[in-house]
Amino acid sequence: MNNLIILPILIPLITGVVLIFFSKNIMAQRWISAISGLITIVASFMLANHVYRNGIQTMDLSNWEAPYGITLVSDMLSSLLVLTTSIIAFASLFYSFKSIGQARERFFYYPVVNFLIVGVNGAFTTGDIFNLFVFFEVMLMSSYVLLVLGGTKIQLRESIKYILVNVISSALFVIAVAYLYSVVGTLNMAHISVRLSEVGSAGIITVIAILFLIVFGLKGAIFPLYFWLPGSYYAPPAPVMALFGALLTKVGVYSITRTYTLFFYHDAGYTHQLLQILAVMTIIAGVIGALAYTDIKKIIIYNIIVAVGVILFGVSVLTPESLTGSVFYLIHDMNIKATLFLLIGIIIIITGTSDLEKISGLINRYPALGWTFFVATAALAGIPPLSGFAGKLMIVRSGFETENYIGAFVVLMSSLLVLFSVMRIFIRGFWGTPRAFKNEDEAPVKWLLAAPAILTVFAVLYGFGTEAIYPVISTAAETLANPEIYINAVLKE
C-alpha cells in the first residue's frame, strides 16, 4: 500500500509525457487529461484514507532507507493537501475545455498543467529538503510556461518579473539548503530535526531559519515579499489564475508550516514572533489592496495575500488548536480561491472586462452564477457555518488565549473587510441596471459554471461537516504540534 504515495505524482507525470505526443489532437488531450485527473483524485482519496486509518506512510526510493536515501512521506496534512490539489486541478482542467482556447491547447497547455501538478504534489509529499527544492523547480518551470502561454503584452511583461523573482528565490533556496547541510550533515527533514535538537539553539540555526523564511516567504507572498504577486497572477486566463491562486502560494505556506514546526522551533521566541509580525502585516497589506481596487481580478488576488497571513498567524501561535485552525483554513482557502477565480473568469467572458465599474445587472440573466458567487464570497469571509468559519475561529481563539491580542483582532477584523471587498462584486456586478454585453450570447456559461459550482458545494459541505471532518484535521495538526510523531515514522525509531 506504500506505493499509493507516489501515484498522485506518477500519474500526472506519465500523463504529461503522453500528452506531448498528442499536441495537435485537442480532443484526445482533453479526454486523456480528464481521465487522468479522475484517476489521480481516486488515488489521492485512497491515500488519505489509508493514512488516516494506518498512520504516516513512507516510501524509500530505490530501497535506500532514511536518512540516506530519498524518502516520500505522506502524513495526514500532506495527503489532505494532495487530495485538495487533485480536485482543484481536475476542476480547472474541466473548465479549460471551453475557455482556454485552441491556440493555447495546441501549444502544450495540458501537458504543462500536469507537470505543474507533479511539482505541487511532489512538494507536499517529499521528506527531503533538497527534493523539496527540486519539486519547487518543476512547479515553477511549469508556471513560467502557463504564465507566458498566449503571448499577450501583459503576460510577457509580468513573466519577466515573475521569472526574475523566482530565480533569485531559487538561488537563495540552494544557499539555505547548503548552510543547513553544513550544520547538520543531512537532507532528510526528520533527520534534520533530530540533528538540530542535538545542536541546540545556536545562533547559526536562527540565521538559517530566517533565510528559509525569506525563501518560502517570496514563494508564499508574505509581507513585504508579495510585491510580484498581484501583477503576475493578473496576467493569465481564469483557469491558470485558479491554479496559481489556489496552489502555488500554498506550497510556500506549507513549506513554512512544515519547517517551522518540524525543525525550526528551538528559538520560537524570536523566529515565530517574527513570523507572527509578518503574518499580521501580510493580512493588513492584503486587505488594503482588496479594498483599494475596483478590478475584480485584483480584488480576489489581494485576498490571496490576506489568507496567507491568516494561516501563518495560526502557525506562529504554535498551539495545537491554532495549528488545527491553520490546517482547516488552508484546505478551505485552496478550494474557495479556485472557486472564485473560476467564477470571475465567467464574468469576464460574459462582459469582456474585469472593471467592476462597467459591470451590473448580471443576476437578471445569470441567477445561478450570481448565487453561486454569493455563497462562495460568504465562505471566503468565514460566515458561519460555511467552510471559512471553523478554521478562523480556532485561530482567533488561540490568539486571544495566548495573549496575542493584536494579531487575533486583525484576523477577526479581516473577515469583515474581506466580506466587504468581495461583496462589492456581488452588489455592483450582479445587481443594478442590466446591461447588454457583446459576448453574453456566446459564453458557454452552463459548462463553465459546473466546476466552480461543485467546488462551492464542497465549501458548504466542508463547513456543515466540520464536526465529522475534525478528527481528520486534528490528526494532521497533531503531527505538526508533536514533530516526534513524524520523526519516528520516517526514521522508524
Side-chain angles (χ1 to χ4, degrees):
M1 290 296 285
N2 281 5
N3 290 334
L4 274 174
I5 298 173
I6 203 170
L7 287 182
I9 303 171
L10 195 60
I11 294 168
L13 176 61
I14 294 172
T15 303
V17 173
V18 170
L19 287 174
I20 291 173
F21 297 98
F22 291 89
S23 60
K24 304 307 177 186
N25 191 334
I26 293 173
M27 192 56 65
Q29 289 193 73
R30 291 174 180 176
W31 274 103
I32 293 170
S33 297
I35 293 169
S36 171
L38 289 172
I39 295 172
T40 306
I41 291 173
V42 172
S44 302
F45 180 81
M46 290 173 64
L47 175 61
N49 183 61
H50 186 66
V51 171
Y52 180 64
R53 295 181 182 277
N54 300 285
I56 298 174
Q57 301 297 301
T58 64
M59 181 179 184
D60 300 319
L61 300 183
S62 301
N63 287 327
W64 283 85
E65 292 189 358
Y68 306 107
I70 297 171
T71 304
L72 299 179
V73 184
S74 187
D75 63 352
M76 202 68 251
L77 174 61
S78 168
S79 59
L80 286 173
L81 295 181
V82 166
L83 175 59
T84 308
T85 298
S86 302
I87 293 170
I88 290 169
F90 177 77
S92 298
L93 283 169
F94 185 82
Y95 185 98
S96 298
F97 296 162
K98 295 287 186 179
S99 69
I100 201 67
Q102 292 191 7
R104 288 185 173 91
E105 288 178 310
R106 286 196 179 95
F107 281 91
F108 306 103
Y109 172 76
Y110 295 112
V112 174
V113 169
N114 277 278
F115 292 139
L116 180 80
I117 303 311
V118 171
V120 174
N121 284 346
F124 289 146
T125 307
T126 185
D128 181 286
I129 193 71
F130 185 77
N131 276 277
L132 179 61
F133 166 76
V134 172
F135 282 119
F136 258 109
E137 291 308 298
V138 173
M139 176 185 76
L140 289 172
M141 285 189 287
S142 303
S143 69
Y144 299 156
V145 179
L146 290 174
L147 181 58
V148 79
L149 197 61
T152 63
K153 183 178 179 181
I154 186 174
Q155 285 180 290
L156 296 174
R157 184 184 71 233
E158 293 300 331
S159 65
I160 294 172
K161 179 170 63 178
Y162 181 76
I163 292 171
L164 181 61
V165 167
N166 280 290
V167 166
I168 295 170
S169 176
S170 297
L172 290 174
F173 198 165
V174 174
I175 294 169
V177 170
Y179 272 126
L180 183 61
Y181 184 79
S182 71
V183 173
V184 297
T186 184
L187 295 171
N188 182 280
M189 290 197 283
H191 201 217
I192 289 171
S193 183
V194 173
R195 290 286 178 86
L196 287 179
S197 65
E198 296 169 355
V199 173
S201 56
I204 186 64
I205 304 304
T206 302
V207 172
I208 294 171
I210 299 305
L211 189 54
F212 271 101
L213 181 59
I214 293 170
V215 170
F216 296 140
L218 264 170
K219 297 180 185 297
I222 67 172
F223 180 89
L225 305 173
Y226 68 88
F227 59 89
W228 57 270
L229 185 142
S232 298
Y233 283 19
Y234 187 90
V240 178
M241 282 196 296
L243 290 169
F244 283 14
L247 304 181
L248 298 198
T249 51
K250 302 311 183 295
V251 175
V253 170
Y254 164 81
S255 300
I256 294 173
T257 303
R258 180 65 78 188
T259 55
Y260 270 60
T261 56
L262 182 58
F263 43 81
F264 290 136
Y265 56 83
H266 301 95
D267 192 12
Y270 180 80
T271 55
H272 288 65
Q273 188 64 34
L274 176 61
L275 177 61
Q276 185 172 130
I277 293 169
L278 294 178
V280 172
M281 294 302 295
T282 302
I283 296 170
I284 294 170
V287 166
I288 291 171
L291 295 175
Y293 286 95
T294 56
D295 186 293
I296 59 177
K297 289 200 286 186
K298 283 287 180 70
I299 292 170
I300 305 301
I301 287 169
Y302 273 98
N303 272 295
I304 296 173
I305 299 169
V306 177
V308 168
V310 172
I311 296 163
L312 291 180
F313 176 76
V315 173
S316 70
V317 173
L318 207 63
T319 66
E321 185 180 36
S322 72
L323 292 171
T324 303
S326 289
V327 176
F328 253 115
Y329 200 81
L330 174 58
I331 296 170
H332 143 78
D333 193 67
M334 291 172 71
N335 178 67
I336 211 65
K337 285 299 189 305
T339 305
L340 286 168
F341 277 119
L342 296 179
L343 287 170
I344 65 170
I346 300 174
I347 296 172
I348 293 168
I349 289 172
I350 293 170
T351 62
T353 181
S354 60
D355 186 352
L356 191 54
E357 302 293 339
K358 299 177 181 178
I359 305 170
S360 66
L362 287 174
I363 204 159
N364 184 57
R365 187 166 179 181
Y366 306 102
L369 173 62
W371 293 114
T372 302
F373 187 85
F374 175 80
V375 174
T377 56
L380 174 69
I383 302 299
L386 298 174
S387 59
F389 175 69
K392 191 169 284 189
L393 174 63
M394 293 179 200
I395 293 170
V396 170
R397 190 164 60 190
S398 297
F400 283 121
E401 287 176 353
T402 55
E403 300 182 355
N404 294 296
Y405 299 117
I406 295 176
F409 179 75
V410 169
V411 172
L412 194 60
M413 287 302 297
S414 72
S415 296
L416 297 176
L417 296 174
V418 163
L419 180 63
F420 175 72
S421 71
V422 290
M423 202 54 72
R424 286 184 301 156
I425 301 175
F426 180 71
I427 293 171
R428 293 189 192 180
F430 286 94
W431 298 101
T433 305
R435 299 187 186 187
F437 300 105
K438 60 180 181 180
N439 298 326
E440 59 184 340
D441 293 325
E442 302 172 9
V445 175
K446 291 182 179 179
W447 178 283
L448 296 176
L449 187 57
I454 292 171
L455 294 179
T456 304
V457 171
F458 286 160
V460 173
L461 295 176
Y462 189 67
F464 277 92
T466 297
E467 188 173 352
I469 299 170
Y470 183 81
V472 180
I473 304 296
S474 62
T475 301
E478 184 183 10
T479 305
L480 298 176
N482 301 289
E484 62 273 7
I485 298 173
Y486 183 97
I487 294 167
N488 293 339
V490 174
L491 301 181
K492 301 175 177 63
E493 295 181 350

